[in-house]
C-alpha cells in the first residue's frame, strides 16, 4: 500500500529557532500534498495545500511567512516553522495524493510530527 | 463551505457492544466520504470510504453507508473489541481539483473489557 513518512517524528526546539519537517511519499509520486495541524483532543485543521513546482495555497488565518512550505519534488514536501513560539507546539500531519489519481482517490496520511517549543 | 458534524465523545462501551457514531455533512457537489481512525500517538489511517450515494464502505467489521437524502455517513460495528479504542474522524473530500479533506471533530471511543 501507499506509504507516507514524516521526519522527525518528534522534535523539541527553543523559542525563536526554526524547525523543518519533511513529508515523503515512499512508493508513489504525489503532485499534491497537504499539511494539517492537530491540537490536543481536537480535529485536524488544514493549513495549506502544497503543489509540486508551485507556491503553496494557504488556508485563511495561516501565516505564510511563519509556516514555509516547499514541495521540491514529486515525493517530498517540507514545512518549516520559522521563529517558533510555544503556541506553535502541536501535532503536524501531512498527507499526499497520488499523481494522476482520478477523482475521489484517497489521500494517504503520514504518522505525524510532534513539535514542542520551549 | 463544506463541513462535517459528528457526535461528541467520549463514547465508552463494553466489549462486544454495538457501536454507532453519527456523522452528517454539508457540501456542494458530490463529495467522497471517509472514516479515519487514529490510535494513541499515531497518525490517521483510512478505515473505510464511500464515493457515491448508497455506497457502503466496510472494513474490519465497521460499516458506513453514504446517505445523500439525509446527508449522513454513520459508522457502525456490531461487536466492538478493546483494540477498537481510538479516535474516529468522519471526513469528506470535495470534488474539486485539490480534493481538500474536511474533518469532523473526532469521537473518542473507549472499549472496556
Amino acid at each position: 500500500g501507499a506509504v507516507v513518512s514524516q521526519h522527525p517524528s518528534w522534535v523539541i526546539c527553543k523559542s525563536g529557532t526554526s524547525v523543518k519537517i519533511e513529508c515523503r511519499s515512499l512508493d508513489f509520486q504525489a503532485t499534491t500534498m497537504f499539511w494539517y495541524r492537530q491540537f490536543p483532543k481536537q480535529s485536524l485543521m488544514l493549513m495549506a495545500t502544497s503543489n509540486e513546482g508551485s507556491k503553496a495555497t494557504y488556508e485563511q488565518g495561516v501565516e505564510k511567512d511563519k509556516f514555509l512550505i516547499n514541495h521540491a519534488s514529486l515525493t517530498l514536501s517540507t514545512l518549516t516553522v520559522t521563529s517558533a513560539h510555544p503556541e506553535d507546539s502541536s501535532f503536524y500531519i501531512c498527507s499526499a495524493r497520488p499523481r494522476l489519481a482520478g477523482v475521489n482517490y484517497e489521500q494517504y496520511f503520514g504518522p505525524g510530527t510532534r513539535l514542542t517549543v520551549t | 463551505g463544506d463541513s462535517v458534524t459528528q457526535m461528541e465523545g467520549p463514547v465508552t462501551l463494553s466489549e462486544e457492544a454495538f457501536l454507532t457514531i453519527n456523522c452528517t455533512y454539508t457540501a456542494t457537489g458530490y463529495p467522497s466520504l471517509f472514516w479515519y481512525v487514529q490510535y494513541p500517538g499515531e497518525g490517521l489511517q483510512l478505515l473505510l470510504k464511500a464515493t457515491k450515494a448508497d455506497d457502503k464502505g466496510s472494513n474490519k467489521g465497521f460499516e458506513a453507508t453514504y446517505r445523500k437524502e439525509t446527508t449522513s455517513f454513520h459508522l457502525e460495528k456490531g461487536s466492538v473489541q478493546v483494540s477498537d479504542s481510538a479516535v474516529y474522524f468522519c471526513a469528506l473530500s470535495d470534488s474539486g481539483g485539490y480534493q481538500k479533506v474536511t474533518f469532523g471533530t473526532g469521537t473518542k471511543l473507549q472499549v472496556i473489557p
Side-chain angles (χ1 to χ4, degrees), chain B residues 36-111:
Chain B
Y36 286 90
V37 58
Q38 185 177 34
Y39 297 100
E42 299 184 13
L44 269 69
Q45 300 176 26
L46 177 67
L47 180 60
L48 54 84
K49 67 178 180 180
T51 58
K52 62 183 187 296
D54 299 325
D55 268 3
K56 177 186 284 188
S58 61
N59 184 27
K60 300 181 181 179
F62 291 90
E63 293 184 340
T65 301
Y66 190 144
R67 301 288 188 198
K68 189 169 172 56
E69 64 276 13
T70 55
T71 61
S72 66
F73 193 55
H74 305 320
L75 181 68
E76 297 181 337
K77 186 174 185 181
S79 176
V80 294
Q81 305 299 313
V82 173
S83 56
D84 294 327
S85 298
V87 180
Y88 292 82
F89 292 93
C90 185
L92 69 82
S93 174
D94 65 27
S95 52
Y98 295 146
Q99 297 188 5
K100 185 171 70 173
V101 178
T102 301
F103 287 89
T105 52
T107 302
K108 183 176 182 179
L109 170 65
Q110 183 177 14
V111 180

Side-chain angles (χ1 to χ4, degrees), chain B residues 11-28:
Chain B
V11 174
T12 302
L13 295 174
S14 297
E15 206 165 20
E16 299 184 2
F18 185 87
L19 168 71
T20 299
I21 300 178
N22 290 336
C23 171
T24 57
Y25 67 91
T26 302
T28 55

Side-chain angles (χ1 to χ4, degrees), chain A residues 32 34 36 38 41-44 46 49 51 57 59 91 93 97 102-107 109-112, chain B residues 30-32 34 36 38 41-44 46 49 51 89 93-95 97-101 103-106:
Chain A
T32 306
F34 303 84
Y36 297 85
Q38 185 179 31
K41 300 183 180 181
Q42 293 188 30
S43 187
L44 282 75
L46 179 65
T49 302
N51 294 290
T57 302
E59 295 299 301
F91 194 52
I93 300 176
R97 182 167 173 265
V103 177
N104 299 322
Y105 210 88
E106 69 185 83
Q107 296 176 19
F109 284 82
Chain B
Y30 303 94
S32 294
F34 306 87
Y36 286 90
Q38 185 177 34
E42 299 184 13
L44 269 69
L46 177 67
K49 67 178 180 180
T51 58
F89 292 93
S93 174
D94 65 27
S95 52
Y98 295 146
Q99 297 188 5
K100 185 171 70 173
V101 178
F103 287 89
T105 52

